[in-house]
Amino acid sequence: MKACKTFALVLIALIFFACDSTKKVVATPNAIPGKDDGIIEVTFLQMNDVYEISPSLSDNIGGLARVATIRKELLAKNPNTITVLAGDFISPSVIGTLRHEGKRIRGKQMVDVLNTLGLDWVVFGNHEFDYDDLADLQARLDESNFTWLAGNVRLKGATWTQQFFKNRNGGTEICPDNQVVTLKDADGTTINLGVFGVLVDTGRKPWAVYSDWAESAQKSYAEFDPKTDVVVALTHLNVDDDKKLSAMLPEVPLVMGGHDHDNQIYKIGKATVAKADANAKTVYIHTLRYDKNKGVATVKSELRKVDGKIADEPATATVIAKWEKIKNESLGSAGFDAAKPVTTLKQPLDCREGIIRHQPAPAGAAITEAMLFVSKNKPDCALLNSGSIRVDDVLSGTLTELDIVRMLPFGGAIVEVEMRGSMLRKTLDTGVSE
Ligand SMILES: [Zn+2]
């Protein structure tokens, strides 16, 4: 790196943010006459890091109406199907930054769609703490019909901490560290299934306080009644920590994780650690088979691509269409002309996270050049966190105003600062090491 005495540095200020409920998932006990064979299968439909409700525009991959169809098909095969999202979903997104009925949308669209889809469990991710105002997160909690697990994060006041909660039916429902649900299959095999949730501590806010995720996981595990037959984990951790968690609690057969945006699966001893692709481009379908007599759990996992071969589930598709319409109207009233061309790309601009988060990419160069162009103090360089580019798509042809908002939905300010070369080096080194 070229040594600089002093220079102005341009940074995009990023907004980071983070959530619960206690709905018990109890499958229909559709028992039929027969002998309890002591074996039960539980199906988990896993998503993680979902910011978009619709398929990507370039390749038509993803889309929550399709995930809802997969869920219905799994439920038809096995009533003991549980749908989970391993954190990061109320922010960021284009729709989330817009206004509707005088208020910022801020993830309301996602909770609405996930309620209709029939989501059962989430764990808080760091992006659930993106919004500065606690009222935004609280509104999303209150609106949601699913359970938010939050083992190692607490709501913090001036002199107190407490569990996050939902306002529900005039009372409150806490976001539990863990919970146990009772499941029964057709021949009457009944188990108590435990789940706990832990997350990274990077979604910092004055009203949130974290404890150590590993201690929280161990505490949750120890709290389960001996009658709990099998325990699974829902996490939003770096993959190395997911592996550590699995090694620490080898009796947990399945760790469903998030935070990483590319699909990956590992066997740690006999346990499975899995993450799907962000934005529901894929989902994991795990079949957990538990033999009560032997006390043995086995997991089979299938990664399913969410593409145009899967039909939209009508009810979810209707809710998504409602929000897409709100998006277009709101963009218009915010002064954006969604379809207005900004430029024509000579070649496709690859903004997929698998590329831009791991290597120098033309998308980053284009944005930093634009930052330098609009800066006031003619800075020597511009810095951009690749995580602030959210479109996760290949853009080509005409780049519209909507594409720009899709690329940079956080909407933070550009900040110009002076710093020494040593500080720049430290900043860049931190970027590489994270
Ligand atoms: Zn995350």
Side-chain angles (χ1 to χ4, degrees), residues 49 51 88 126-127 200 236 259:
D49 304 82
Y51 312 96
D88 278 4
N126 51 299
H127 282 300
V200 290
H236 194 82
H259 201 44

Side-chain angles (χ1 to χ4, degrees), residues 1-111:
M1 186 188 64
K2 195 175 78 176
C4 308
K5 286 175 191 162
T6 60
F7 54 87
L9 177 67
V10 183
L11 294 167
I12 275 201
L14 296 178
I15 309 158
F16 287 97
F17 245 82
C19 241
D20 167 329
S21 96
T22 317
K23 183 179 60 116
K24 294 247 172 188
V25 182
V26 182
T28 319
N30 56 339
I32 53 168
K35 197 169 174 296
D36 174 3
D37 61 2
I39 295 172
I40 187 169
E41 283 193 352
V42 184
T43 306
F44 294 95
L45 172 57
Q46 178 194 351
M47 298 177 271
N48 47 272
D49 304 82
V50 180
Y51 312 96
E52 299 290 338
I53 55 178
S54 297
S56 65
L57 291 173
S58 67
D59 57 8
N60 190 29
I61 306 292
L64 292 178
R66 294 169 179 163
V67 177
T69 295
I70 296 173
R71 176 178 174 271
K72 278 201 161 174
E73 288 172 0
L74 293 173
L75 269 170
K77 279 189 227 155
N78 183 2
N80 291 313
T81 293
I82 298 173
T83 304
V84 306
L85 201 166
D88 278 4
F89 57 101
I90 66 167
S91 170
S93 67
V94 172
I95 300 180
T97 60
L98 300 171
R99 284 179 174 275
H100 177 54
E101 295 173 342
K103 282 187 177 171
R104 294 242 181 233
I105 294 170
R106 295 198 163 146
K108 190 182 179 76
Q109 85 287 0
M110 188 58 83
V111 172

Side-chain angles (χ1 to χ4, degrees), residues 217-363:
Q218 271 172 323
K219 184 166 168 288
S220 266
Y221 191 75
E223 272 172 19
F224 286 117
D225 190 286
K227 286 179 191 146
T228 305
D229 298 282
V230 59
V231 174
V232 297
L234 190 62
T235 67
H236 194 82
L237 297 171
N238 294 306
V239 65
D240 289 345
D241 287 339
D242 275 316
K243 290 177 182 173
K244 272 186 214 160
L245 169 70
S246 184
M248 187 177 80
L249 297 172
E251 298 302 316
V252 173
L254 179 60
V255 177
M256 294 175 282
H259 201 44
D260 295 284
H261 285 193
D262 311 311
N263 78 75
Q264 48 203 290
I265 191 160
Y266 308 93
K267 276 283 174 197
I268 309 293
K270 289 179 182 165
T272 300
V273 174
K275 312 189 188 213
D277 291 286
N279 287 324
K281 290 186 171 187
T282 61
V283 290
Y284 255 114
I285 298 165
H286 307 286
T287 306
L288 185 151
R289 182 182 162 93
Y290 184 68
D291 186 330
K292 262 184 107 166
N293 301 320
K294 294 181 184 160
V296 174
T298 54
V299 174
K300 278 190 185 158
S301 303
E302 178 207 344
L303 186 71
R304 176 95 50 98
K305 191 172 182 183
V306 179
D307 61 17
K309 291 182 193 138
I310 303 165
D312 283 349
E313 190 278 315
T316 310
T318 301
V319 177
I320 291 170
K322 175 186 83 178
W323 282 105
E324 289 292 341
K325 186 165 177 273
I326 291 169
K327 177 177 86 176
N328 291 332
E329 289 167 359
S330 179
L331 274 170
S333 57
F336 288 101
D337 182 347
K340 187 179 173 188
V342 175
T343 188
T344 302
L345 295 167
K346 291 190 183 76
Q347 50 199 14
L349 190 61
D350 195 338
C351 299
R352 288 173 301 170
E353 294 188 351
I355 302 294
I356 57 162
R357 289 198 174 207
H358 304 293
Q359 63 196 61

